[in-house]
Amino acid sequence: MRKLALVSMVAGLAASGSALSATQIEWWHAMGGANGEKVDEIAAAFNASQDAYQVKPVFKGNYTETMTSAIAAFRAKQQPAIVQVFEVGTASMMAAEGAVYPVYKLMADTKQPFNQEDYLSAVTGYYTDKDGNMLSMPFNSSTPVLYYNKELFAKAGVTAPKTWQEVETVSQKLLDSGVKCGFTTSWQSWVQLENFSARHNLPFASQANGFAGMDTELKFNGPAQVAHIEKMSEWQQNGIFSYGGRRSDSASKFYSQECAMHMESSAGYAGVKRNAQFDFGVSELPYDSNVIKTPQNTIIGGASLWVLQGKSQAEYQGVASFLSFLSRADVQADWHQFSGYLPITTAAYELTKQQGFYDANPGTDVAVKQMTSVAPTENSKGLRLGNFVQIRDIINEELEAVWSGKKTAQVALDAAVERGNALLRKFEKANQ
């Protein structure tokens, strides 16, 4: 993967007096491994592009640890200027009154060029207020797609399914050809309930999925969601579906060719490419043709960058300059191509296309098309629910009871809604 422009200048610049006197900007993030190295590279490229500011990336652990650390640091008045927060923490960040400097206001106050129309609405919609103003800057956004084993598909004489009805038919033919399992899924709450609801224009919760207020009630135990989970339970018993864990644990079932299909984040592309010893394809997430004829967009996962209050005007000028740098087409295209995360601007998408990346890496544009083919509705804009990390844990527990045959889909989803609503009331009470 090509390096960002000007990175070669970093060593010399870092040693110069101008760098030492530059305004320091601390950026806490949750990107480990190769993505963490890329974050360091991006910051170094920005630092090398000017001599007034120095962005210092600091890895703080996983998403939960990073967010918890930032909240604790703010209370101790030792907060960073920028913190990366996963999408399910959005409601908590918005409720942290006095802690956040909204990005749209920051850019206006610092007179940085900033046009929200430049950003993909399906991405930014997750991080806007009720008036459509961007509160944080999207950084690493992904959405679930379907990965499939082209070799096993060719042997079974099938093609990538578009609907859930076709998933069943295709999976049965794959089983008949000797494959052990039709499909598996990662992040079951995100893919099979949150995105299933969005794709079929169904409410996951009331109050526009939490965007219209905190007095929300969960709604994912509706007839279509229950029917889907009940069908998956049936498939779990006959081998069409095989459960592999709450996060991305199921990937091993796909890599080993036990399962011919895997529903996973678009940002998992690099991992699939590295670990799959077979030719694979990427297709859109299936939809139920009995529920909707033209599916809605899927919703995102990943994280955004939040600016925290309590810093100097000089630091905020630097933060705004850095966010402008991050939004540049070449920077976003490079990050998108390296990581598999979505480009956050139309310009970055167009540049990636012009560079021939999608032609050279078939399937890497599927997620972008899936997110932008239709305008988001209030059911497919995203989720803004308090205590959602804990609510996902509840959903996982209840779904596992379904897969093991201990509960029916209706009983499990009803229980998840009831338990989740109790956590929503706690959040609402704490933030009134």
Side-chain angles (χ1 to χ4, degrees), residues 38-57:
K38 192 66 173 179
V39 162
D40 291 340
E41 183 186 313
I42 291 170
F46 170 73
N47 295 342
S49 70
Q50 44 72 53
D51 58 10
Y53 313 106
Q54 285 281 303
V55 169
K56 298 172 61 178

Side-chain angles (χ1 to χ4, degrees), residues 95-163:
E97 192 171 344
V100 170
Y101 195 160
V103 162
Y104 79 93
K105 190 173 187 306
L106 167 75
M107 302 305 264
D109 291 347
T110 56
K111 295 179 170 55
Q112 275 284 336
F114 179 67
N115 184 358
Q116 290 192 188
E117 299 302 315
D118 294 340
Y119 300 83
L120 299 181
S121 61
V123 174
T124 59
Y126 215 113
Y127 305 113
T128 55
D129 62 17
K130 59 183 176 60
D131 297 318
N133 296 310
M134 279 173 60
L135 302 173
S136 60
M137 180 66 72
F139 178 59
N140 56 305
S141 296
S142 58
T143 200
V145 293
L146 173 69
Y147 296 92
Y148 62 97
N149 186 319
K150 284 187 174 181
E151 296 174 14
L152 294 179
F153 268 51
K155 181 182 176 182
V158 295
T159 56
K162 294 182 179 180
T163 67

Side-chain angles (χ1 to χ4, degrees), residues 6 26 33 48 50 64 136 173 209 218 251 281 313 359 370 403:
L6 300 175
E26 202 163 27
Q50 44 72 53
T64 302
S136 60
K173 290 182 178 179
N209 283 342
L218 297 172
Q313 186 57 40
D359 292 333
Q370 181 175 271
W403 311 148

Side-chain angles (χ1 to χ4, degrees), residues 167-196:
V167 168
E168 182 174 41
T169 302
V170 166
S171 293
Q172 190 57 59
K173 290 182 178 179
L174 286 161
L175 295 180
D176 293 342
S177 72
V179 177
K180 290 184 179 179
C181 121
F183 76 95
T184 188
T185 186
S186 65
W187 304 98
Q188 56 183 353
S189 174
W190 183 50
V191 179
Q192 304 300 341
L193 277 177
E194 297 162 43
N195 270 283
F196 180 89

